[in-house]
């Protein structure tokens, strides 16, 4: 181990007798007598480019035994290197529901500079990850330009790699959106994985790798624990729905039989069955009154409960222009709705 000699100036050297009698030397190597103000801690510690300044001191009594004399060492300055780190996290709370054939379907992510210097990042999306049931078709990567965390078409910024790579300060995050088209062949319950990755533009690789002189603030850049590259995935899930409609008729003639003679009453029954894991929105069942028959007013029912004929009477049924209609609203998959109405054979 080598020890540095400290040179003293500004006073006459003490005599051997005074050294033996009263010299008390307190050398505090590593004590920062002169230092820059402290900086608030960031995700990766002190900001890149910060100078760490250190000065040691020696204090001893003067030969006359009066005021102590203090001598400063030379100043040692160390510039903090930039640590390159990044994290990517999916922002969606779970699988995002979609349906076959839809475009501009959105998955959301958050990219955070977890290093200690300002850094630009290159983003890339992978919609062809193995192990899922289908691949969505990549459309665009969008940067959240207004910072609200929600994709706003026409407001947020189209991302072009190498042109507008996001530059993030330490601990700064940006929301990123990946837009995709869902193929028409995707089936109910199928999932698609989409991965967003972010890579530091200064460099990435094995933690501890040094890029000399390329750090923010003029120091070196050092690869951090993430390898200056991170990725996370979001998922689409198909919630496809459909409806089957079955119609049947029961005839009651004036003579107690079931013959379709004039004056006979036909009871039509419509059974709507929804299938799939999604919801059918604004489902409406309608049926034209057949020619050579007359609708019997007030005979529409839904699940056995009577419905009115007027459009504005507050219930789901209506009769207009020789057609009945029942508005079922949003119906989840796997349910049935039964509707009946009556006509008289002319």
């Amino acid at each position: 181990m080598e020890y540095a000699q400290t040179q003293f100036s500004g006073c006459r050297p003490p005599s051997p007798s005074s050294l033996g009698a009263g010299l008390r030397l307190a050398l505090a190597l590593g004590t920062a007598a002169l230092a820059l103000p402290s900086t608030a801690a960031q995700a990766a510690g002190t900001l890149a480019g910060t100078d760490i300044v250190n000065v040691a001191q020696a204090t001893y009594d003067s030969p006359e035994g009066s005021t102590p004399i203090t001598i400063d060492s030379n100043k040692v300055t160390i510039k903090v290197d930039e640590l390159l780190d990044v994290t990517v996290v999916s922002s969606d709370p779970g699988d995002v529901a979609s349906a076959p054939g839809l475009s501009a379907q959105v998955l959301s992510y958050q990219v955070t500079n977890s290093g200690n210097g300002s850094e630009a990042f290159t983003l890339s999306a992978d919609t062809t990850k193995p192990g899922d049931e289908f691949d969505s078709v990549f459309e665009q990567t969008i940067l959240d330009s207004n910072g609200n965390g929600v994709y706003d078409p026409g407001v947020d910024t189209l991302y072009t790699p190498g042109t507008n790579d996001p530059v993030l300060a330490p601990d700064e995050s940006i929301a990123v959106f990946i837009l995709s088209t869902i193929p028409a062949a995707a089936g109910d319950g199928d999932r698609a994985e989409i991965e967003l990755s972010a890579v530091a533009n200064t460099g990435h690789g094995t933690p501890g790798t040094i890029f000399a002189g390329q750090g923010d603030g003029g120091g070196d850049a050092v690869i951090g624990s993430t390898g200056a590259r991170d990725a996370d995935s979001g998922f689409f899930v198909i919630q496809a729905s459909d409806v089957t409609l079955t119609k049947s008729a029961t005839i009651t003639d004036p003579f107690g039989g079931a013959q379709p003679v004039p004056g006979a009453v036909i009871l039509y029954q419509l059974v709507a069955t929804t299938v799939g894991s999604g919801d059918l929105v604004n489902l409406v069942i309608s049926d034209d009154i057949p020619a050579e028959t007359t609708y019997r007013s007030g005979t529409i029912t839904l699940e056995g409960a009577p419905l009115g004929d007027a459009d504005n009477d507050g219930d789901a049924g209506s009769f207009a222009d020789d057609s009945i209609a029942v508005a079922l609203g949003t119906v989840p998959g796997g349910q049935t709705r039964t509707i009946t109405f009556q006509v008289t054979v002319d």
Side-chain angles (χ1 to χ4, degrees):
M1 179 179 295
E2 294 184 357
Y3 295 89
Q5 276 192 330
T6 303
Q7 295 184 348
F8 300 96
S9 60
C11 68
R12 57 187 177 84
S15 68
S17 61
S18 61
L19 282 171
L23 178 60
R24 295 189 299 271
L25 180 63
L27 182 60
L29 293 174
T31 302
L34 297 176
L36 292 181
S38 61
T39 304
Q42 305 294 313
T46 305
L47 291 175
T50 299
D51 286 338
I52 297 176
V53 181
N54 184 267
V55 177
Q57 293 181 335
T59 303
Y60 64 96
D61 288 347
S62 67
E64 295 81 5
S66 57
T67 305
I69 297 173
T70 299
I71 300 299
D72 290 340
S73 73
N74 58 295
K75 183 186 298 184
V76 175
T77 301
I78 298 174
K79 188 177 293 292
V80 175
D81 289 340
E82 180 183 0
L83 200 62
L84 301 173
D85 269 322
V86 62
T87 56
V88 179
V89 178
S90 170
S91 299
D92 297 311
D95 292 356
V96 174
S98 189
L102 297 183
S103 60
Q105 300 299 284
V106 180
L107 291 181
S108 303
Y109 305 80
Q110 181 171 277
V111 177
T112 302
N113 177 6
S114 48
N116 66 336
S118 180
E119 183 66 27
F121 297 93
T122 297
L123 310 177
S124 60
D126 185 358
T127 62
T128 60
K129 301 290 290 182
D132 51 10
E133 286 78 30
F134 73 95
D135 291 335
S136 64
V137 180
F138 172 77
E139 294 179 12
Q140 296 174 328
T141 299
I142 303 293
L143 304 178
D144 183 20
S145 58
N146 60 8
N148 66 353
V150 178
Y151 172 54
D152 298 310
V155 176
D156 292 329
T157 303
L158 174 66
Y159 170 65
T160 304
T163 300
N164 59 338
D165 297 333
V167 179
L168 303 178
D171 284 333
E172 185 180 7
S173 299
I174 187 171
V176 179
F177 311 107
I178 297 177
L179 275 58
S180 298
T181 296
I182 307 300
D188 186 44
D190 288 349
R191 299 173 81 225
E193 179 181 1
I194 295 88
E195 180 185 81
L196 175 70
S197 64
V199 180
N201 284 8
T202 297
H204 66 280
T206 304
T209 301
I210 298 172
F211 297 91
Q214 298 184 41
D216 188 24
D220 296 339
V222 181
I223 301 296
S225 59
T226 65
R229 178 173 189 162
D230 197 27
D232 198 20
S233 293
F235 291 83
F236 288 118
V237 63
I238 299 302
Q239 291 187 349
S241 299
D242 204 349
V243 61
T244 62
L245 189 60
T246 304
K247 184 174 182 177
S248 60
T250 302
I251 303 172
T252 303
D253 66 32
F255 313 107
Q259 298 303 121
V261 297
V265 174
I266 304 174
L267 171 69
Y268 286 112
Q269 177 176 272
L270 308 174
V271 179
T273 303
T274 57
V275 293
S277 61
D279 296 340
L280 284 177
V281 180
N282 294 327
L283 178 60
V284 178
I285 306 299
S286 61
D287 196 358
D288 292 336
I289 303 303
E292 314 305 333
T293 68
T294 300
Y295 169 68
R296 301 187 70 191
S297 62
T299 59
I300 304 172
T301 70
L302 173 61
E303 304 299 321
L307 301 176
D309 292 339
D311 240 348
N312 57 357
D313 57 8
D315 62 33
S318 64
F319 170 72
D321 301 324
D322 284 332
S323 179
I324 67 100
V326 177
L328 299 177
T330 298
V331 182
Q335 297 196 11
T336 62
R337 299 289 188 270
T338 301
I339 298 163
T340 65
F341 68 95
Q342 299 177 20
V343 299
T344 301
V345 178
D346 293 341

